[in-house]
Amino acid sequence: MPGPSAPAGFVTIGPGIYIGLAPTASAAPLQPNASAPNVILIFGWMGALTRHLENYSRKYAELYPHATQIIVKCAPSFFWTSTRAQLSRLLPVVEALEALECIPSINTTTQESTRVRPRVLVHSFSNGGGLQLTSLGHLLSSKYPSIPRSETLVSALILDSSPSIGNFRTIGMAFSIAIRNPGVRYIVLVLIYIAHAFRLSLQMVFGVETMGARYLKALLNPHLLPWMNSQTPRLYVFSKKDQLVPWQGVQQHAETAKKSGLNVRYEVYEESAHVAHMRLDPKRYWASIQDLWQIACRESQMKAIEDA
């Protein structure tokens, strides 16, 4: 049975992973903006359909028409597959990043490389997107343990409706929305509740770190992805009306990140639902993202002047 179709203008490079290449210079009506992102990574929330994520990819194509976009969807099964399977699923993303010269290919020598410094905008939605983001970071750090950590690369990170670990009720709600088959939903929820209770027991009795705790810690890594550092601007976008991901946890994570020296901003909504801030107030939403990217460019330019 064929999988879901790729979004318009994209091609499938892996299960639930799509790439939309930037237009060539001859096909593009305008010259590329040297300060705009040239790669945009979008990590969808658990259960997000293609049409949901197209609302974001279309706007990004309008704002940054010369950027290549990579969309990574999140199936509920990602949460209960093995770590090895999770990382294996993301290999097409790594290969795409290599081809785009965001990271060095194994077969690329210093003399052969004409690598353009990456300008990468990363947009992650909910804990599903965040888990895939941290998994990609783990995969890249394992494959490229000795990548030089430059302090002048332009990058920015948006964390929409995450990160925050809820309770049995919110976890159940999230999977109930993502899994549409009632029979499968019931079985999955029972297994998830059992697994969640077991992990909590291990944490309380033996001090074993839960997957949620590891995930929250991973997002505090200044080198979450190879081109990121402590000065990479990150924007937390969340709402006090979010019923799936507690906003207090998101705010606490943002404050912890700020205290640890990361470059943090946040945009707090009062009325929007989970991953629905753009739908409630698109003008404000996209303005905050454009402002974040302008900050990333400006701070990178200032750093380059200081180092000159």
Side-chain angles (χ1 to χ4, degrees):
M1 183 176 180
S5 299
F10 286 71
V11 295
T12 302
I13 59 174
I17 302 174
Y18 314 106
I19 187 167
L21 295 174
T24 61
S26 59
L30 299 173
Q31 290 298 313
N33 183 341
S35 64
N38 51 26
V39 177
I40 299 174
L41 274 169
I42 301 174
F43 294 92
W45 62 92
M46 181 177 65
L49 300 177
T50 299
R51 69 172 185 270
H52 298 145
L53 300 177
E54 282 183 306
N55 292 327
Y56 297 89
S57 65
R58 280 195 297 264
K59 185 63 179 181
Y60 271 129
E62 177 186 322
L63 293 174
Y64 308 116
H66 295 277
T68 290
Q69 295 187 42
I70 301 174
I71 296 177
V72 184
K73 295 174 73 173
C74 179
S77 59
F78 193 83
F79 282 84
W80 59 77
T81 54
S82 66
T83 301
R84 176 176 290 186
Q86 290 176 349
L87 299 181
S88 177
R89 178 181 177 270
L90 293 170
L91 283 174
V93 181
V94 175
E95 293 168 356
L97 292 172
E98 289 173 347
L100 293 166
E101 299 185 329
C102 291
I103 50 180
S105 173
I106 294 173
N107 299 321
T108 301
T109 65
T110 304
Q111 290 78 13
E112 294 171 340
S113 177
T114 57
R115 185 166 64 96
V116 176
R117 285 187 177 274
R119 301 188 302 275
V120 187
L121 179 60
V122 182
H123 197 151
S124 171
F125 293 91
S126 192
N127 290 325
L131 179 60
Q132 295 189 107
L133 169 60
T134 55
S135 296
L136 177 64
H138 177 69
L139 180 59
L140 289 172
S141 63
S142 298
K143 189 172 183 181
Y144 297 102
S146 59
I147 290 181
R149 289 174 172 174
S150 172
E151 295 297 322
T152 59
L153 302 183
V154 184
S155 182
L157 171 64
I158 300 112
L159 296 169
D160 184 316
S161 304
S162 71
S164 181
I165 305 303
N167 51 34
F168 281 100
R169 182 186 66 84
T170 58
I171 293 172
M173 287 175 61
F175 278 91
S176 295
I177 293 171
I179 301 174
R180 293 165 179 81
N181 184 300
V184 175
R185 182 192 308 144
Y186 177 79
I187 295 171
V188 168
L189 286 177
V190 170
L191 294 175
I192 286 172
Y193 287 146
I194 293 173
H196 189 60
F198 179 69
R199 287 168 177 167
L200 288 178
S201 299
L202 288 177
Q203 182 185 34
M204 289 186 292
V205 177
F206 300 105
V208 176
E209 198 172 46
T210 64
M211 181 180 71
R214 293 195 301 271
Y215 157 65
L216 294 176
K217 184 184 294 184
L219 282 173
L220 294 174
N221 181 2
H223 303 286
L224 176 59
L225 295 176
W227 49 82
M228 292 182 175
N229 53 57
S230 61
Q231 296 308 306
T232 300
R234 57 170 60 193
L235 175 67
Y236 291 79
V237 186
F238 56 97
S239 171
K240 294 182 178 180
K241 287 292 181 68
D242 193 327
Q243 297 297 310
L244 299 184
V245 174
W247 68 270
Q248 297 92 336
V250 180
Q251 182 168 283
Q252 182 180 5
H253 194 275
E255 292 297 334
T256 301
K258 184 181 291 187
K259 289 176 182 176
S260 67
L262 300 186
N263 191 354
V264 172
R265 290 158 180 79
Y266 47 81
E267 193 82 12
V268 187
Y269 289 75
E270 298 291 334
E271 299 295 333
S272 51
H274 187 64
V275 295
H277 324 303
M278 189 271 287
R279 188 166 69 244
L280 177 73
D281 193 342
K283 184 176 181 180
R284 174 186 173 188
Y285 188 87
W286 290 109
S288 66
I289 290 174
Q290 290 175 275
D291 289 346
L292 182 76
W293 186 255
Q294 289 173 1
I295 289 167
C297 293
R298 185 165 59 248
E299 293 184 352
S300 178
Q301 291 169 356
M302 291 174 62
K303 184 67 168 60
I305 292 172
E306 291 173 359
D307 292 342

